[in-house]
Amino acid sequence: MVRAEQIYKSFGHVEVLRGIDLEVAPGEVFCIVGPSGSGKSTFLRCINHLEKIDAGRLYVDGDLVGYKQRGDRLHEQRERDVCAQRRDIGMVFQRFNLFPHLSALENVMEAPIRVRKESRAVAQEQAVRLLDRVGLADRRAMYPSQLSGGQQQRVAIARALAMQPKLMLFDEPTSALDPELVGEVLDVMRGLAEEGMTMVVVTHEMGFAREVGDALVFMDEGVVVEAGKPREVLSNPRHRRTQAFLSKVL
């Protein structure tokens, strides 16, 4: 579902990604862990071309992301075509990024109506179903300011699912939440995993990675330091840098 080949990305003189190679299989929960500043979130944003890569190739479901290849050269796609690719990739951010002037129901309905051109009736029926799926059917008329952080994040997940994506990206979805609210978001993500959704999850929740993840990479300073099955990497890290990091977070 995702294939990254020698991905490089810099901001000014700072190299953030330095040759990332990895593959995510369909239906896989792929977890990315590592210290702040290691390039995890930047890589995630490259997958849907929110950040433009400087070198390499990124594919989602066999298609190059953000570019077309002609001969040996890559040519950046028009914004309209990039947006069309993004329709199939749901993303959930650290901060919920909900529209404050719309209710939970309206937040979930917005993209299907505006982007997929669905009728209001169809979008509303789907939004009600998705809010029920994330346990918020009784909160659908509330505005973001009336919801807890965990509830807002669950609305954000429902909003991403409303576009019927084939891939979901999660950028530390619980990092902005109070500890007692983390579980309700992780429960929704577990449910998605059980349904076979392909997920790339940047997370500090090592328990989630161990229990739900199918594959895990540890990143540091813009490179993949170690990769493997989550239980193996977390229980028996081989690289000294991985050992040092996990000794502080486990």
Side-chain angles (χ1 to χ4, degrees):
M1 183 62 76
V2 179
R3 187 167 86 250
E5 299 175 350
Q6 285 295 291
I7 302 301
Y8 285 82
K9 173 67 182 177
S10 296
F11 294 105
H13 297 296
V14 180
E15 269 193 317
V16 179
L17 300 176
R18 301 186 293 135
I20 299 294
D21 288 301
L22 56 80
E23 290 189 0
V24 181
E28 192 170 52
V29 179
F30 191 97
C31 297
I32 304 176
V33 303
S36 297
S38 59
K40 308 183 302 296
S41 294
T42 297
F43 175 70
L44 204 69
R45 292 169 64 86
C46 289
I47 293 176
N48 62 2
H49 208 59
L50 287 177
E51 297 289 354
K52 299 176 184 179
I53 62 176
D54 297 327
R57 301 279 195 282
L58 251 174
Y59 301 86
V60 171
D61 202 17
D63 295 324
L64 263 175
V65 174
Y67 298 91
K68 287 289 185 185
Q69 185 159 347
R70 300 191 188 106
D72 294 330
R73 302 195 64 179
L74 291 183
H75 297 268
E76 189 165 357
Q77 288 186 317
R78 294 174 298 178
E79 184 63 23
R80 181 178 63 187
D81 296 326
V82 173
C83 289
Q85 285 188 313
R86 288 197 190 113
R87 293 176 196 170
D88 294 326
I89 306 172
M91 186 160 187
V92 179
F93 300 87
Q94 295 178 41
R95 299 288 174 179
F96 326 118
N97 292 350
L98 297 177
F99 297 114
H101 63 292
L102 299 181
S103 69
L105 184 69
E106 291 166 336
N107 262 282
V108 179
M109 292 170 57
E110 185 75 1
I113 291 173
R114 290 186 178 271
V115 180
R116 299 182 72 94
K117 307 303 181 186
E118 291 181 359
S119 71
R120 189 169 186 85
V122 169
Q124 181 169 331
E125 181 181 346
Q126 176 184 242
V128 169
R129 187 170 66 250
L130 287 170
L131 287 172
D132 182 52
R133 182 175 172 184
V134 299
L136 291 173
D138 60 339
R139 299 285 194 276
R140 65 192 191 197
M142 292 187 173
Y143 290 86
S145 62
Q146 298 171 306
L147 300 172
S148 71
Q151 290 169 339
Q152 289 185 64
Q153 193 61 296
R154 283 187 280 157
V155 173
I157 294 172
R159 181 177 63 178
L161 292 173
M163 290 296 287
Q164 302 170 34
K166 55 189 173 187
L167 170 67
M168 285 283 285
L169 309 177
F170 291 87
D171 187 8
E172 298 188 26
T174 60
S175 64
L177 301 179
D178 292 333
E180 66 269 21
L181 301 177
V182 168
E184 61 190 51
V185 173
L186 294 182
D187 284 345
V188 172
M189 293 171 65
R190 284 189 186 92
L192 291 177
E194 290 168 0
E195 294 168 13
M197 174 64 73
T198 308
M199 301 160 62
V200 182
V201 185
V202 171
T203 185
H204 291 299
E205 300 293 336
M206 300 303 163
F208 174 86
R210 181 187 288 110
E211 296 165 23
V212 183
D214 298 301
L216 179 144
V217 298
F218 170 72
M219 284 181 61
D220 189 33
E221 297 183 350
V223 299
V224 173
V225 176
E226 191 163 346
K229 295 291 185 182
R231 290 179 184 272
E232 294 173 8
V233 175
L234 296 175
S235 301
N236 188 30
R238 297 180 179 182
H239 195 281
R240 186 177 300 174
R241 182 65 188 93
T242 317
Q243 293 168 0
F245 173 77
L246 292 176
S247 70
K248 296 174 182 176
V249 300
L250 290 178

